[in-house]
Amino acid sequence: GQSLEQPSEVTAVEGAIVQINCTYQTSGFYGLSWYQQHDGGAPTFLSYNALDGLEETGRFSSFLSRSDSYGYLLLQELQMKDSASYFCADLNSGGYQKVTFGIGTKLQVIP
Amino acid sequence: DAGVTQSPTHLIKTRGQQVTLRCSPKSGHDTVSWYQQALGQGPQFIFQYYEEEERQRGNFPDRFSGHQFPNYSSELNVNALLLGDSALYLCASSLPGPGSSSYNEQFFGPGTRLTVL
């Protein structure tokens, strides 16, 4: 089966950097995505890694190591609006988008 | 450009009833996926529709069924509702397959909050 593990909660200070880790055990792994979800809102896509290495998009970066079945999301220059839940999700390689989400990491940014 | 829309926003049903949820994908998208998100959990994949056919299914019983129409909109039907079906139901649309440049990105609608009493 597919499973992804990530910390349930993280607290960080405004302006700081935070890293949210994700380890996965999946068959037919194709790539790792990250989504942000504010309370009461819909998940929104942040990034996707199919290959090993770092992908940078503004203040957010995502890293993947396929050999270690591990990835992380890095948020820099934290802002209060970054308080949300962050999900890692794997894209199954069935050729189709059967996405399995982790349980989510609730990030609280404090002043 | 309208994003993914879902209706209704909220719904209250009683055990044993049936419910139909609706989704219109983002313009230009022809693939629709449905997810169930319980409180405090990540979205759980129910199934995906492409070209009016179910092409992937998660671990959900047959009480969960769906349909995709020629205009790519989709419905999720749940029969014989149980208390445990109470959740946020999310619809996501995307481009079809690895041949598409951004197929890995799914666009989610605001969801339908279903409460089963």
Side-chain angles (χ1 to χ4, degrees), chain B residues 3-6 21-34 48-53 66-76 91-96:
Chain B
V4 179
T5 60
Q6 292 185 244
L21 310 181
R22 296 176 176 82
C23 170
S24 291
K26 179 179 168 65
S27 177
H29 286 182
D30 54 11
T31 300
V32 173
S33 301
W34 286 93
Q48 182 183 84
Y49 277 85
Y50 172 64
E51 292 188 341
E52 301 180 51
E53 290 190 1
H67 188 76
Q68 186 178 35
F69 298 94
N71 67 352
Y72 309 126
S73 66
S74 177
E75 288 182 349
L76 165 65
C91 168
S93 74
S94 55
L95 295 170

PDB file of all heavy atoms in Angstrom, chain B residues 3-6 21-34 48-53 66-76 91-96:
ATOM      1  N   GLY B   3     -12.392  28.726 -11.658  1.00  0.00           N
ATOM      2  CA  GLY B   3     -11.697  27.558 -11.159  1.00  0.00           C
ATOM      3  C   GLY B   3     -12.664  26.404 -11.017  1.00  0.00           C
ATOM      4  O   GLY B   3     -13.728  26.372 -11.633  1.00  0.00           O
ATOM      5  N   VAL B   4     -12.317  25.466 -10.171  1.00  0.00           N
ATOM      6  CA  VAL B   4     -13.175  24.311  -9.924  1.00  0.00           C
ATOM      7  C   VAL B   4     -14.336  24.736  -9.023  1.00  0.00           C
ATOM      8  O   VAL B   4     -14.116  25.395  -8.004  1.00  0.00           O
ATOM      9  CB  VAL B   4     -12.381  23.180  -9.250  1.00  0.00           C
ATOM     10  CG1 VAL B   4     -13.284  21.982  -8.971  1.00  0.00           C
ATOM     11  CG2 VAL B   4     -11.185  22.781 -10.108  1.00  0.00           C
ATOM     12  N   THR B   5     -15.527  24.387  -9.422  1.00  0.00           N
ATOM     13  CA  THR B   5     -16.697  24.723  -8.605  1.00  0.00           C
ATOM     14  C   THR B   5     -17.390  23.447  -8.154  1.00  0.00           C
ATOM     15  O   THR B   5     -17.392  22.434  -8.870  1.00  0.00           O
ATOM     16  CB  THR B   5     -17.687  25.616  -9.359  1.00  0.00           C
ATOM     17  OG1 THR B   5     -18.140  24.926 -10.530  1.00  0.00           O
ATOM     18  CG2 THR B   5     -17.028  26.922  -9.787  1.00  0.00           C
ATOM     19  N   GLN B   6     -17.966  23.521  -6.965  1.00  0.00           N
ATOM     20  CA  GLN B   6     -18.668  22.370  -6.405  1.00  0.00           C
ATOM     21  C   GLN B   6     -19.993  22.830  -5.805  1.00  0.00           C
ATOM     22  O   GLN B   6     -20.103  23.949  -5.301  1.00  0.00           O
ATOM     23  CB  GLN B   6     -17.843  21.685  -5.304  1.00  0.00           C
ATOM     24  CG  GLN B   6     -16.596  21.007  -5.801  1.00  0.00           C
ATOM     25  CD  GLN B   6     -15.886  20.249  -4.700  1.00  0.00           C
ATOM     26  OE1 GLN B   6     -14.757  20.560  -4.330  1.00  0.00           O
ATOM     27  NE2 GLN B   6     -16.548  19.206  -4.181  1.00  0.00           N
ATOM     28  N   LEU B  21     -23.283  14.780  -5.189  1.00  0.00           N
ATOM     29  CA  LEU B  21     -22.469  15.990  -5.156  1.00  0.00           C
ATOM     30  C   LEU B  21     -21.995  16.281  -6.570  1.00  0.00           C
ATOM     31  O   LEU B  21     -21.736  15.354  -7.347  1.00  0.00           O
ATOM     32  CB  LEU B  21     -21.264  15.796  -4.229  1.00  0.00           C
ATOM     33  CG  LEU B  21     -21.556  15.243  -2.828  1.00  0.00           C
ATOM     34  CD1 LEU B  21     -20.272  15.137  -2.027  1.00  0.00           C
ATOM     35  CD2 LEU B  21     -22.592  16.087  -2.116  1.00  0.00           C
ATOM     36  N   ARG B  22     -21.837  17.562  -6.882  1.00  0.00           N
ATOM     37  CA  ARG B  22     -21.513  17.953  -8.242  1.00  0.00           C
ATOM     38  C   ARG B  22     -20.241  18.781  -8.321  1.00  0.00           C
ATOM     39  O   ARG B  22     -19.906  19.517  -7.384  1.00  0.00           O
ATOM     40  CB  ARG B  22     -22.695  18.708  -8.858  1.00  0.00           C
ATOM     41  CG  ARG B  22     -23.936  17.844  -9.000  1.00  0.00           C
ATOM     42  CD  ARG B  22     -25.143  18.598  -9.523  1.00  0.00           C
ATOM     43  NE  ARG B  22     -26.279  17.701  -9.730  1.00  0.00           N
ATOM     44  CZ  ARG B  22     -27.107  17.297  -8.778  1.00  0.00           C
ATOM     45  NH1 ARG B  22     -26.932  17.720  -7.534  1.00  0.00           N
ATOM     46  NH2 ARG B  22     -28.088  16.472  -9.052  1.00  0.00           N
ATOM     47  N   CYS B  23     -19.578  18.675  -9.462  1.00  0.00           N
ATOM     48  CA  CYS B  23     -18.305  19.348  -9.656  1.00  0.00           C
ATOM     49  C   CYS B  23     -18.157  19.777 -11.108  1.00  0.00           C
ATOM     50  O   CYS B  23     -18.429  18.991 -12.020  1.00  0.00           O
ATOM     51  CB  CYS B  23     -17.175  18.391  -9.288  1.00  0.00           C
ATOM     52  SG  CYS B  23     -15.518  18.964  -9.721  1.00  0.00           S
ATOM     53  N   SER B  24     -17.707  21.015 -11.297  1.00  0.00           N
ATOM     54  CA  SER B  24     -17.343  21.484 -12.631  1.00  0.00           C
ATOM     55  C   SER B  24     -15.854  21.772 -12.629  1.00  0.00           C
ATOM     56  O   SER B  24     -15.373  22.540 -11.787  1.00  0.00           O
ATOM     57  CB  SER B  24     -18.127  22.751 -12.988  1.00  0.00           C
ATOM     58  OG  SER B  24     -19.484  22.453 -13.174  1.00  0.00           O
ATOM     59  N   PRO B  25     -15.117  21.179 -13.557  1.00  0.00           N
ATOM     60  CA  PRO B  25     -13.660  21.344 -13.533  1.00  0.00           C
ATOM     61  C   PRO B  25     -13.223  22.720 -14.024  1.00  0.00           C
ATOM     62  O   PRO B  25     -14.000  23.467 -14.601  1.00  0.00           O
ATOM     63  CB  PRO B  25     -13.175  20.249 -14.480  1.00  0.00           C
ATOM     64  CG  PRO B  25     -14.307  20.063 -15.441  1.00  0.00           C
ATOM     65  CD  PRO B  25     -15.555  20.296 -14.641  1.00  0.00           C
ATOM     66  N   LYS B  26     -11.989  23.000 -13.786  1.00  0.00           N
ATOM     67  CA  LYS B  26     -11.366  24.223 -14.297  1.00  0.00           C
ATOM     68  C   LYS B  26     -11.398  24.180 -15.820  1.00  0.00           C
ATOM     69  O   LYS B  26     -11.270  23.113 -16.425  1.00  0.00           O
ATOM     70  CB  LYS B  26      -9.926  24.285 -13.789  1.00  0.00           C
ATOM     71  CG  LYS B  26      -9.105  25.483 -14.226  1.00  0.00           C
ATOM     72  CD  LYS B  26      -7.713  25.403 -13.621  1.00  0.00           C
ATOM     73  CE  LYS B  26      -6.767  26.413 -14.251  1.00  0.00           C
ATOM     74  NZ  LYS B  26      -7.173  27.810 -13.961  1.00  0.00           N
ATOM     75  N   SER B  27     -11.576  25.348 -16.425  1.00  0.00           N
ATOM     76  CA  SER B  27     -11.628  25.431 -17.875  1.00  0.00           C
ATOM     77  C   SER B  27     -10.374  24.814 -18.492  1.00  0.00           C
ATOM     78  O   SER B  27      -9.241  25.096 -18.078  1.00  0.00           O
ATOM     79  CB  SER B  27     -11.739  26.911 -18.277  1.00  0.00           C
ATOM     80  OG  SER B  27     -11.721  27.038 -19.683  1.00  0.00           O
ATOM     81  N   GLY B  28     -10.583  23.941 -19.472  1.00  0.00           N
ATOM     82  CA  GLY B  28      -9.464  23.296 -20.148  1.00  0.00           C
ATOM     83  C   GLY B  28      -9.056  21.959 -19.553  1.00  0.00           C
ATOM     84  O   GLY B  28      -8.256  21.237 -20.139  1.00  0.00           O
ATOM     85  N   HIS B  29      -9.597  21.642 -18.390  1.00  0.00           N
ATOM     86  CA  HIS B  29      -9.285  20.369 -17.740  1.00  0.00           C
ATOM     87  C   HIS B  29     -10.344  19.331 -18.085  1.00  0.00           C
ATOM     88  O   HIS B  29     -11.535  19.638 -18.140  1.00  0.00           O
ATOM     89  CB  HIS B  29      -9.219  20.535 -16.228  1.00  0.00           C
ATOM     90  CG  HIS B  29      -7.996  21.236 -15.764  1.00  0.00           C
ATOM     91  ND1 HIS B  29      -7.728  21.443 -14.416  1.00  0.00           N
ATOM     92  CD2 HIS B  29      -6.954  21.775 -16.431  1.00  0.00           C
ATOM     93  CE1 HIS B  29      -6.566  22.081 -14.300  1.00  0.00           C
ATOM     94  NE2 HIS B  29      -6.098  22.297 -15.508  1.00  0.00           N
ATOM     95  N   ASP B  30      -9.904  18.097 -18.281  1.00  0.00           N
ATOM     96  CA  ASP B  30     -10.860  17.050 -18.629  1.00  0.00           C
ATOM     97  C   ASP B  30     -10.791  15.857 -17.688  1.00  0.00           C
ATOM     98  O   ASP B  30     -11.443  14.846 -17.913  1.00  0.00           O
ATOM     99  CB  ASP B  30     -10.661  16.588 -20.075  1.00  0.00           C
ATOM    100  CG  ASP B  30      -9.214  16.173 -20.350  1.00  0.00           C
ATOM    101  OD1 ASP B  30      -8.429  16.053 -19.385  1.00  0.00           O
ATOM    102  OD2 ASP B  30      -8.877  16.004 -21.534  1.00  0.00           O
ATOM    103  N   THR B  31      -9.996  15.962 -16.644  1.00  0.00           N
ATOM    104  CA  THR B  31      -9.850  14.880 -15.679  1.00  0.00           C
ATOM    105  C   THR B  31     -10.327  15.357 -14.315  1.00  0.00           C
ATOM    106  O   THR B  31      -9.922  16.438 -13.861  1.00  0.00           O
ATOM    107  CB  THR B  31      -8.380  14.441 -15.591  1.00  0.00           C
ATOM    108  OG1 THR B  31      -7.957  13.992 -16.879  1.00  0.00           O
ATOM    109  CG2 THR B  31      -8.209  13.304 -14.589  1.00  0.00           C
ATOM    110  N   VAL B  32     -11.191  14.582 -13.702  1.00  0.00           N
ATOM    111  CA  VAL B  32     -11.759  14.953 -12.409  1.00  0.00           C
ATOM    112  C   VAL B  32     -11.507  13.841 -11.394  1.00  0.00           C
ATOM    113  O   VAL B  32     -11.764  12.672 -11.676  1.00  0.00           O
ATOM    114  CB  VAL B  32     -13.274  15.211 -12.526  1.00  0.00           C
ATOM    115  CG1 VAL B  32     -13.882  15.440 -11.139  1.00  0.00           C
ATOM    116  CG2 VAL B  32     -13.542  16.409 -13.416  1.00  0.00           C
ATOM    117  N   SER B  33     -11.008  14.221 -10.244  1.00  0.00           N
ATOM    118  CA  SER B  33     -10.789  13.283  -9.139  1.00  0.00           C
ATOM    119  C   SER B  33     -11.625  13.718  -7.952  1.00  0.00           C
ATOM    120  O   SER B  33     -11.834  14.914  -7.735  1.00  0.00           O
ATOM    121  CB  SER B  33      -9.306  13.255  -8.738  1.00  0.00           C
ATOM    122  OG  SER B  33      -8.489  12.882  -9.827  1.00  0.00           O
ATOM    123  N   TRP B  34     -12.067  12.744  -7.184  1.00  0.00           N
ATOM    124  CA  TRP B  34     -12.844  13.014  -5.970  1.00  0.00           C
ATOM    125  C   TRP B  34     -12.073  12.502  -4.755  1.00  0.00           C
ATOM    126  O   TRP B  34     -11.448  11.425  -4.800  1.00  0.00           O
ATOM    127  CB  TRP B  34     -14.199  12.311  -6.041  1.00  0.00           C
ATOM    128  CG  TRP B  34     -15.169  12.955  -6.978  1.00  0.00           C
ATOM    129  CD1 TRP B  34     -15.382  12.654  -8.291  1.00  0.00           C
ATOM    130  CD2 TRP B  34     -16.093  14.014  -6.654  1.00  0.00           C
ATOM    131  NE1 TRP B  34     -16.370  13.457  -8.806  1.00  0.00           N
ATOM    132  CE2 TRP B  34     -16.814  14.291  -7.820  1.00  0.00           C
ATOM    133  CE3 TRP B  34     -16.376  14.740  -5.481  1.00  0.00           C
ATOM    134  CZ2 TRP B  34     -17.815  15.277  -7.868  1.00  0.00           C
ATOM    135  CZ3 TRP B  34     -17.357  15.706  -5.528  1.00  0.00           C
ATOM    136  CH2 TRP B  34     -18.059  15.970  -6.713  1.00  0.00           C
ATOM    137  N   GLN B  48     -11.146   8.605  -9.948  1.00  0.00           N
ATOM    138  CA  GLN B  48     -10.839   9.602 -10.964  1.00  0.00           C
ATOM    139  C   GLN B  48     -11.576   9.258 -12.257  1.00  0.00           C
ATOM    140  O   GLN B  48     -11.678   8.090 -12.641  1.00  0.00           O
ATOM    141  CB  GLN B  48      -9.341   9.634 -11.247  1.00  0.00           C
ATOM    142  CG  GLN B  48      -8.922  10.681 -12.272  1.00  0.00           C
ATOM    143  CD  GLN B  48      -7.438  10.623 -12.557  1.00  0.00           C
ATOM    144  OE1 GLN B  48      -6.974   9.831 -13.367  1.00  0.00           O
ATOM    145  NE2 GLN B  48      -6.686  11.459 -11.866  1.00  0.00           N
ATOM    146  N   TYR B  49     -12.063  10.294 -12.909  1.00  0.00           N
ATOM    147  CA  TYR B  49     -12.771  10.128 -14.177  1.00  0.00           C
ATOM    148  C   TYR B  49     -12.046  10.858 -15.296  1.00  0.00           C
ATOM    149  O   TYR B  49     -11.568  11.989 -15.126  1.00  0.00           O
ATOM    150  CB  TYR B  49     -14.206  10.656 -14.061  1.00  0.00           C
ATOM    151  CG  TYR B  49     -15.124   9.637 -13.452  1.00  0.00           C
ATOM    152  CD1 TYR B  49     -15.230   9.530 -12.071  1.00  0.00           C
ATOM    153  CD2 TYR B  49     -15.846   8.758 -14.244  1.00  0.00           C
ATOM    154  CE1 TYR B  49     -16.054   8.572 -11.503  1.00  0.00           C
ATOM    155  CE2 TYR B  49     -16.677   7.801 -13.692  1.00  0.00           C
ATOM    156  CZ  TYR B  49     -16.762   7.711 -12.315  1.00  0.00           C
ATOM    157  OH  TYR B  49     -17.568   6.758 -11.752  1.00  0.00           O
ATOM    158  N   TYR B  50     -11.983  10.175 -16.414  1.00  0.00           N
ATOM    159  CA  TYR B  50     -11.395  10.741 -17.633  1.00  0.00           C
ATOM    160  C   TYR B  50     -12.141  10.156 -18.810  1.00  0.00           C
ATOM    161  O   TYR B  50     -12.395   8.953 -18.862  1.00  0.00           O
ATOM    162  CB  TYR B  50      -9.904  10.405 -17.703  1.00  0.00           C
ATOM    163  CG  TYR B  50      -9.240  10.777 -18.998  1.00  0.00           C
ATOM    164  CD1 TYR B  50      -9.141  12.105 -19.402  1.00  0.00           C
ATOM    165  CD2 TYR B  50      -8.714   9.793 -19.846  1.00  0.00           C
ATOM    166  CE1 TYR B  50      -8.544  12.447 -20.601  1.00  0.00           C
ATOM    167  CE2 TYR B  50      -8.110  10.134 -21.034  1.00  0.00           C
ATOM    168  CZ  TYR B  50      -8.029  11.457 -21.411  1.00  0.00           C
ATOM    169  OH  TYR B  50      -7.432  11.801 -22.605  1.00  0.00           O
ATOM    170  N   GLU B  51     -12.514  10.993 -19.739  1.00  0.00           N
ATOM    171  CA  GLU B  51     -13.280  10.570 -20.917  1.00  0.00           C
ATOM    172  C   GLU B  51     -14.509   9.759 -20.497  1.00  0.00           C
ATOM    173  O   GLU B  51     -14.802   8.697 -21.068  1.00  0.00           O
ATOM    174  CB  GLU B  51     -12.395   9.770 -21.875  1.00  0.00           C
ATOM    175  CG  GLU B  51     -11.332  10.627 -22.524  1.00  0.00           C
ATOM    176  CD  GLU B  51     -10.569   9.914 -23.629  1.00  0.00           C
ATOM    177  OE1 GLU B  51     -10.601   8.662 -23.673  1.00  0.00           O
ATOM    178  OE2 GLU B  51      -9.940  10.612 -24.451  1.00  0.00           O
ATOM    179  N   GLU B  52     -15.167  10.256 -19.478  1.00  0.00           N
ATOM    180  CA  GLU B  52     -16.438   9.708 -18.993  1.00  0.00           C
ATOM    181  C   GLU B  52     -16.317   8.300 -18.408  1.00  0.00           C
ATOM    182  O   GLU B  52     -17.327   7.621 -18.208  1.00  0.00           O
ATOM    183  CB  GLU B  52     -17.491   9.720 -20.110  1.00  0.00           C
ATOM    184  CG  GLU B  52     -17.766  11.114 -20.662  1.00  0.00           C
ATOM    185  CD  GLU B  52     -18.802  11.117 -21.776  1.00  0.00           C
ATOM    186  OE1 GLU B  52     -19.894  10.544 -21.582  1.00  0.00           O
ATOM    187  OE2 GLU B  52     -18.522  11.694 -22.846  1.00  0.00           O
ATOM    188  N   GLU B  53     -15.078   7.884 -18.116  1.00  0.00           N
ATOM    189  CA  GLU B  53     -14.889   6.566 -17.530  1.00  0.00           C
ATOM    190  C   GLU B  53     -14.074   6.671 -16.236  1.00  0.00           C
ATOM    191  O   GLU B  53     -13.171   7.505 -16.123  1.00  0.00           O
ATOM    192  CB  GLU B  53     -14.174   5.628 -18.506  1.00  0.00           C
ATOM    193  CG  GLU B  53     -15.021   5.228 -19.693  1.00  0.00           C
ATOM    194  CD  GLU B  53     -14.379   4.113 -20.510  1.00  0.00           C
ATOM    195  OE1 GLU B  53     -13.286   3.659 -20.133  1.00  0.00           O
ATOM    196  OE2 GLU B  53     -14.982   3.704 -21.503  1.00  0.00           O
ATOM    197  N   GLY B  66     -19.702   7.246  -9.283  1.00  0.00           N
ATOM    198  CA  GLY B  66     -19.597   8.556  -9.910  1.00  0.00           C
ATOM    199  C   GLY B  66     -19.962   8.520 -11.367  1.00  0.00           C
ATOM    200  O   GLY B  66     -20.301   7.465 -11.936  1.00  0.00           O
ATOM    201  N   HIS B  67     -19.861   9.694 -11.926  1.00  0.00           N
ATOM    202  CA  HIS B  67     -20.186   9.828 -13.344  1.00  0.00           C
ATOM    203  C   HIS B  67     -19.483  11.069 -13.868  1.00  0.00           C
ATOM    204  O   HIS B  67     -19.306  12.047 -13.129  1.00  0.00           O
ATOM    205  CB  HIS B  67     -21.702   9.978 -13.517  1.00  0.00           C
ATOM    206  CG  HIS B  67     -22.145   9.936 -14.949  1.00  0.00           C
ATOM    207  ND1 HIS B  67     -22.223   8.777 -15.672  1.00  0.00           N
ATOM    208  CD2 HIS B  67     -22.521  10.934 -15.784  1.00  0.00           C
ATOM    209  CE1 HIS B  67     -22.626   9.063 -16.891  1.00  0.00           C
ATOM    210  NE2 HIS B  67     -22.823  10.360 -16.979  1.00  0.00           N
ATOM    211  N   GLN B  68     -19.076  11.008 -15.128  1.00  0.00           N
ATOM    212  CA  GLN B  68     -18.549  12.206 -15.786  1.00  0.00           C
ATOM    213  C   GLN B  68     -19.345  12.451 -17.055  1.00  0.00           C
ATOM    214  O   GLN B  68     -19.634  11.514 -17.810  1.00  0.00           O
ATOM    215  CB  GLN B  68     -17.067  12.067 -16.120  1.00  0.00           C
ATOM    216  CG  GLN B  68     -16.474  13.366 -16.682  1.00  0.00           C
ATOM    217  CD  GLN B  68     -14.993  13.274 -16.969  1.00  0.00           C
ATOM    218  OE1 GLN B  68     -14.500  12.238 -17.381  1.00  0.00           O
ATOM    219  NE2 GLN B  68     -14.275  14.366 -16.760  1.00  0.00           N
ATOM    220  N   PHE B  69     -19.688  13.676 -17.281  1.00  0.00           N
ATOM    221  CA  PHE B  69     -20.516  14.044 -18.423  1.00  0.00           C
ATOM    222  C   PHE B  69     -19.642  14.525 -19.585  1.00  0.00           C
ATOM    223  O   PHE B  69     -18.461  14.826 -19.399  1.00  0.00           O
ATOM    224  CB  PHE B  69     -21.494  15.138 -17.988  1.00  0.00           C
ATOM    225  CG  PHE B  69     -22.431  14.691 -16.897  1.00  0.00           C
ATOM    226  CD1 PHE B  69     -22.127  14.922 -15.566  1.00  0.00           C
ATOM    227  CD2 PHE B  69     -23.599  13.994 -17.197  1.00  0.00           C
ATOM    228  CE1 PHE B  69     -22.971  14.487 -14.550  1.00  0.00           C
ATOM    229  CE2 PHE B  69     -24.450  13.566 -16.193  1.00  0.00           C
ATOM    230  CZ  PHE B  69     -24.127  13.803 -14.872  1.00  0.00           C
ATOM    231  N   PRO B  70     -20.235  14.606 -20.781  1.00  0.00           N
ATOM    232  CA  PRO B  70     -19.440  15.031 -21.948  1.00  0.00           C
ATOM    233  C   PRO B  70     -18.790  16.398 -21.783  1.00  0.00           C
ATOM    234  O   PRO B  70     -17.771  16.679 -22.422  1.00  0.00           O
ATOM    235  CB  PRO B  70     -20.478  15.030 -23.082  1.00  0.00           C
ATOM    236  CG  PRO B  70     -21.474  14.005 -22.667  1.00  0.00           C
ATOM    237  CD  PRO B  70     -21.577  14.134 -21.173  1.00  0.00           C
ATOM    238  N   ASN B  71     -19.357  17.255 -20.941  1.00  0.00           N
ATOM    239  CA  ASN B  71     -18.741  18.578 -20.726  1.00  0.00           C
ATOM    240  C   ASN B  71     -17.679  18.528 -19.613  1.00  0.00           C
ATOM    241  O   ASN B  71     -17.212  19.575 -19.172  1.00  0.00           O
ATOM    242  CB  ASN B  71     -19.814  19.621 -20.400  1.00  0.00           C
ATOM    243  CG  ASN B  71     -20.490  19.362 -19.064  1.00  0.00           C
ATOM    244  OD1 ASN B  71     -20.278  18.339 -18.422  1.00  0.00           O
ATOM    245  ND2 ASN B  71     -21.331  20.294 -18.648  1.00  0.00           N
ATOM    246  N   TYR B  72     -17.312  17.322 -19.185  1.00  0.00           N
ATOM    247  CA  TYR B  72     -16.273  17.042 -18.183  1.00  0.00           C
ATOM    248  C   TYR B  72     -16.723  17.263 -16.745  1.00  0.00           C
ATOM    249  O   TYR B  72     -15.963  16.916 -15.832  1.00  0.00           O
ATOM    250  CB  TYR B  72     -14.983  17.834 -18.432  1.00  0.00           C
ATOM    251  CG  TYR B  72     -14.462  17.727 -19.838  1.00  0.00           C
ATOM    252  CD1 TYR B  72     -14.195  18.864 -20.591  1.00  0.00           C
ATOM    253  CD2 TYR B  72     -14.251  16.483 -20.413  1.00  0.00           C
ATOM    254  CE1 TYR B  72     -13.727  18.763 -21.886  1.00  0.00           C
ATOM    255  CE2 TYR B  72     -13.789  16.362 -21.718  1.00  0.00           C
ATOM    256  CZ  TYR B  72     -13.527  17.509 -22.454  1.00  0.00           C
ATOM    257  OH  TYR B  72     -13.071  17.406 -23.740  1.00  0.00           O
ATOM    258  N   SER B  73     -17.907  17.803 -16.532  1.00  0.00           N
ATOM    259  CA  SER B  73     -18.375  17.918 -15.159  1.00  0.00           C
ATOM    260  C   SER B  73     -18.609  16.523 -14.591  1.00  0.00           C
ATOM    261  O   SER B  73     -18.677  15.531 -15.341  1.00  0.00           O
ATOM    262  CB  SER B  73     -19.652  18.756 -15.086  1.00  0.00           C
ATOM    263  OG  SER B  73     -20.713  18.084 -15.746  1.00  0.00           O
ATOM    264  N   SER B  74     -18.728  16.445 -13.288  1.00  0.00           N
ATOM    265  CA  SER B  74     -18.784  15.128 -12.660  1.00  0.00           C
ATOM    266  C   SER B  74     -19.717  15.135 -11.468  1.00  0.00           C
ATOM    267  O   SER B  74     -19.996  16.182 -10.873  1.00  0.00           O
ATOM    268  CB  SER B  74     -17.379  14.712 -12.218  1.00  0.00           C
ATOM    269  OG  SER B  74     -17.384  13.480 -11.535  1.00  0.00           O
ATOM    270  N   GLU B  75     -20.227  13.973 -11.156  1.00  0.00           N
ATOM    271  CA  GLU B  75     -21.034  13.771  -9.960  1.00  0.00           C
ATOM    272  C   GLU B  75     -20.444  12.651  -9.115  1.00  0.00           C
ATOM    273  O   GLU B  75     -19.884  11.684  -9.647  1.00  0.00           O
ATOM    274  CB  GLU B  75     -22.471  13.371 -10.336  1.00  0.00           C
ATOM    275  CG  GLU B  75     -23.294  14.482 -10.926  1.00  0.00           C
ATOM    276  CD  GLU B  75     -24.718  14.032 -11.233  1.00  0.00           C
ATOM    277  OE1 GLU B  75     -24.998  12.817 -11.185  1.00  0.00           O
ATOM    278  OE2 GLU B  75     -25.543  14.910 -11.541  1.00  0.00           O
ATOM    279  N   LEU B  76     -20.587  12.817  -7.815  1.00  0.00           N
ATOM    280  CA  LEU B  76     -20.250  11.762  -6.861  1.00  0.00           C
ATOM    281  C   LEU B  76     -21.544  11.369  -6.165  1.00  0.00           C
ATOM    282  O   LEU B  76     -22.252  12.230  -5.644  1.00  0.00           O
ATOM    283  CB  LEU B  76     -19.242  12.271  -5.837  1.00  0.00           C
ATOM    284  CG  LEU B  76     -19.053  11.433  -4.573  1.00  0.00           C
ATOM    285  CD1 LEU B  76     -18.461  10.078  -4.907  1.00  0.00           C
ATOM    286  CD2 LEU B  76     -18.157  12.169  -3.568  1.00  0.00           C
ATOM    287  N   CYS B  91     -13.371  17.927  -4.882  1.00  0.00           N
ATOM    288  CA  CYS B  91     -13.213  17.596  -6.288  1.00  0.00           C
ATOM    289  C   CYS B  91     -11.964  18.307  -6.785  1.00  0.00           C
ATOM    290  O   CYS B  91     -11.704  19.456  -6.406  1.00  0.00           O
ATOM    291  CB  CYS B  91     -14.450  18.057  -7.053  1.00  0.00           C
ATOM    292  SG  CYS B  91     -14.282  18.046  -8.834  1.00  0.00           S
ATOM    293  N   ALA B  92     -11.178  17.630  -7.586  1.00  0.00           N
ATOM    294  CA  ALA B  92      -9.981  18.247  -8.157  1.00  0.00           C
ATOM    295  C   ALA B  92      -9.947  17.975  -9.644  1.00  0.00           C
ATOM    296  O   ALA B  92     -10.290  16.870 -10.089  1.00  0.00           O
ATOM    297  CB  ALA B  92      -8.728  17.680  -7.489  1.00  0.00           C
ATOM    298  N   SER B  93      -9.532  18.958 -10.415  1.00  0.00           N
ATOM    299  CA  SER B  93      -9.416  18.738 -11.850  1.00  0.00           C
ATOM    300  C   SER B  93      -7.965  18.907 -12.267  1.00  0.00           C
ATOM    301  O   SER B  93      -7.163  19.555 -11.595  1.00  0.00           O
ATOM    302  CB  SER B  93     -10.334  19.686 -12.629  1.00  0.00           C
ATOM    303  OG  SER B  93      -9.833  21.003 -12.634  1.00  0.00           O
ATOM    304  N   SER B  94      -7.636  18.303 -13.380  1.00  0.00           N
ATOM    305  CA  SER B  94      -6.258  18.331 -13.867  1.00  0.00           C
ATOM    306  C   SER B  94      -6.244  17.986 -15.347  1.00  0.00           C
ATOM    307  O   SER B  94      -7.270  17.586 -15.922  1.00  0.00           O
ATOM    308  CB  SER B  94      -5.401  17.337 -13.080  1.00  0.00           C
ATOM    309  OG  SER B  94      -5.977  16.049 -13.127  1.00  0.00           O
ATOM    310  N   LEU B  95      -5.071  18.140 -15.939  1.00  0.00           N
ATOM    311  CA  LEU B  95      -4.864  17.689 -17.299  1.00  0.00           C
ATOM    312  C   LEU B  95      -4.582  16.196 -17.253  1.00  0.00           C
ATOM    313  O   LEU B  95      -4.115  15.683 -16.244  1.00  0.00           O
ATOM    314  CB  LEU B  95      -3.709  18.469 -17.928  1.00  0.00           C
ATOM    315  CG  LEU B  95      -3.999  19.954 -18.102  1.00  0.00           C
ATOM    316  CD1 LEU B  95      -2.743  20.711 -18.486  1.00  0.00           C
ATOM    317  CD2 LEU B  95      -5.096  20.164 -19.136  1.00  0.00           C
ATOM    318  N   PRO B  96      -4.842  15.484 -18.342  1.00  0.00           N
ATOM    319  CA  PRO B  96      -4.944  14.028 -18.279  1.00  0.00           C
ATOM    320  C   PRO B  96      -3.711  13.218 -17.935  1.00  0.00           C
ATOM    321  O   PRO B  96      -3.702  12.507 -16.974  1.00  0.00           O
ATOM    322  CB  PRO B  96      -5.485  13.639 -19.646  1.00  0.00           C
ATOM    323  CG  PRO B  96      -5.187  14.768 -20.535  1.00  0.00           C
ATOM    324  CD  PRO B  96      -5.203  15.981 -19.672  1.00  0.00           C
TER     325      PRO B  96
END
